[in-house]
Amino acid sequence: MEVDKVEAQNQQQKHKQVHLFYCLESEELARKVAGHSDLITLQSINWRNFDDGFPNLFINNAEDLRGQHVAFLACFSSPGVIFEQLSVIYALPRLFAASFTLVLPFFPTGSFERMEEEGDVATAFTMARILSNIPISRGGPTSLVIYDIHALQERFYFGDQVLPLFVTGIPLLKQRLHQLPESDKIAVAFPDDGAWKRFHKLLDHFPMVVCVKVREGDERIVRIKEGNPAGYHVVIVDDLVQSGGTLVECQKVLAAHGAAKVSAYVTHGVFPKRSWERFTHKNEAGMENAFAYFWITDSCPHTVKAIANKRPFEVLSLAGSIADALQI
């Protein structure tokens, strides 16, 4: 009996009881995360503004956080919400937390990671520097959880005060693909070499097609670089989508080369200016039913609400993966 008691205590020590705070946009995802584990307790923040528009914030139950593991689920959906969230992010570790984890599912400036000419501003580096200055907690540097960052080398943009943990949503896609009928007739396509380098090792048991953009006169045209889509349900895989123009061109090329069906997966459905509308099954002529499925995760809450119950979209939730990451 004494041995069983010690073993139970050891098992309990291996798991962290996490107090999870969240921004307003991420409330639905936060509740799903908490629903995956009894070890996660939701906490709240009063998000208010003064008359001049600047944040008037209050962290509820702040004194109860001393010696506790604390996390914050952020959503930097627009520049206007970043300051208020950073104010909370900088405050939480200072409340004598045993550890602090920041979950930022979508790193919004990730695609602006390089300079092509003098004068360009690499805002991915700017954001990384801001997050690198989060105060350390009693347990040490902040753990920073990001899903499918645009370029893996951005890990080196962060300073030593944060520990970036780069996670992927690809396991959610693989699980969904195995649920489909004729799952043995699925191939994966990449819209460019960058996407292939980023994801091919995670999907290497599927037949692969790699597309490439080539210049013909003043136009850039998508062509198939390698692989044969004929007869397959082809799933185009990338980290994010903005306007979706490249995905549309890839779909046309794959269909022209004999693909039985074409679907798409992106971890981050950004879709500015409601660009998701071009993919719905009530869209412009010639695009009807072009995509059998379009899978996104819930890393961008605004998009999730906008595409609810609209074919061909399906949302693969990151909630379970985030719950697991909070135990690392």
Side-chain angles (χ1 to χ4, degrees):
M1 291 291 291
E2 196 64 33
V3 173
D4 291 342
K5 185 177 179 181
V6 171
E7 181 64 26
Q9 289 175 341
N10 289 338
Q11 284 296 114
Q12 192 172 13
Q13 289 172 0
K14 289 179 183 178
H15 299 292
K16 297 188 294 186
Q17 188 74 42
V18 179
H19 295 266
L20 178 61
F21 292 85
Y22 52 89
C23 66
L24 290 174
E25 290 177 76
S26 296
E27 181 174 357
E28 183 176 347
L29 178 55
R31 294 192 180 282
K32 289 181 180 178
V33 172
H36 276 270
S37 174
D38 294 334
L39 296 167
I40 298 172
T41 303
L42 290 184
Q43 301 289 352
S44 63
I45 294 165
N46 294 341
W47 301 93
R48 302 165 302 192
N49 290 295
F50 291 108
D51 291 340
D52 60 4
F54 277 87
N56 176 16
L57 309 169
F58 185 81
I59 299 170
N60 294 304
N61 304 315
E63 291 188 2
D64 296 338
L65 301 179
R66 294 174 182 175
Q68 303 297 311
H69 300 287
V70 177
F72 182 79
L73 179 57
C75 177
F76 291 176
S77 59
S78 69
V81 301
I82 292 177
F83 177 70
E84 64 181 15
Q85 291 183 53
L86 284 175
S87 300
V88 170
I89 290 165
Y90 274 51
L92 286 170
R94 292 180 174 273
L95 297 175
F96 294 92
S99 70
F100 180 61
T101 300
L102 172 60
V103 181
L104 182 61
F106 175 47
F107 187 73
T109 58
S111 56
F112 307 102
E113 85 285 6
R114 61 185 181 272
M115 294 173 58
E116 295 185 355
E117 62 177 313
E118 193 66 34
D120 284 342
V121 178
T123 52
F125 183 62
T126 307
M127 182 65 72
R129 291 182 71 182
I130 291 171
L131 297 177
S132 295
N133 283 290
I134 297 172
I136 61 172
S137 66
R138 289 177 63 185
T142 292
S143 299
L144 173 59
V145 181
I146 298 174
Y147 281 81
D148 289 319
I149 198 166
H150 187 66
L152 287 174
Q153 64 265 27
E154 292 177 52
R155 174 187 301 277
F156 305 107
Y157 291 3
F158 294 91
D160 293 337
Q161 281 189 216
V162 293
L163 301 174
L165 174 64
F166 291 164
V167 196
T168 180
I170 294 297
L172 299 173
L173 171 65
K174 290 165 71 173
Q175 182 181 26
R176 182 67 182 97
L177 293 181
H178 286 306
Q179 296 169 352
L180 296 178
E182 299 183 340
S183 59
D184 58 329
K185 291 295 291 180
I186 292 174
V188 171
F190 302 102
D192 51 41
D193 284 329
W196 176 83
K197 291 176 183 177
R198 187 76 175 78
F199 295 116
H200 80 277
K201 290 182 179 178
L202 301 173
L203 296 160
D204 58 3
H205 59 291
F206 290 103
M208 293 189 183
V209 179
V210 181
C211 297
V212 64
K213 288 182 181 178
V214 296
R215 186 173 292 281
E216 289 190 359
D218 294 333
E219 293 185 287
R220 287 176 64 84
I221 298 173
V222 175
R223 292 209 172 148
I224 292 178
K225 178 182 177 183
E226 57 183 84
N228 182 8
Y232 285 100
H233 177 184
V234 183
V235 181
I236 307 169
V237 175
D238 209 350
D239 62 321
L240 62 85
V241 59
Q242 296 269 2
S243 69
T246 299
L247 293 179
V248 169
E249 294 306 312
C250 284
Q251 184 276 333
K252 292 177 181 177
V253 170
L254 293 166
H257 283 76
K261 288 191 288 188
V262 179
S263 295
Y265 166 85
V266 296
T267 303
H268 310 297
V270 184
F271 289 122
K273 299 179 180 179
R274 297 175 62 89
S275 55
W276 53 266
E277 290 180 340
R278 72 191 304 178
F279 295 97
T280 61
H281 286 174
K282 293 180 181 178
N283 51 23
E284 70 255 29
M287 277 297 292
E288 186 173 357
N289 298 324
F291 286 82
Y293 298 93
F294 199 129
W295 293 289
I296 64 173
T297 75
D298 41 7
S299 67
C300 299
H302 281 311
T303 300
V304 171
K305 290 180 180 179
I307 57 89
N309 302 315
K310 292 181 174 65
R311 296 177 59 213
F313 290 101
E314 285 187 11
V315 177
L316 307 178
S317 182
L318 296 171
S321 178
I322 292 173
D324 291 341
L326 291 178
Q327 290 299 318
I328 295 175

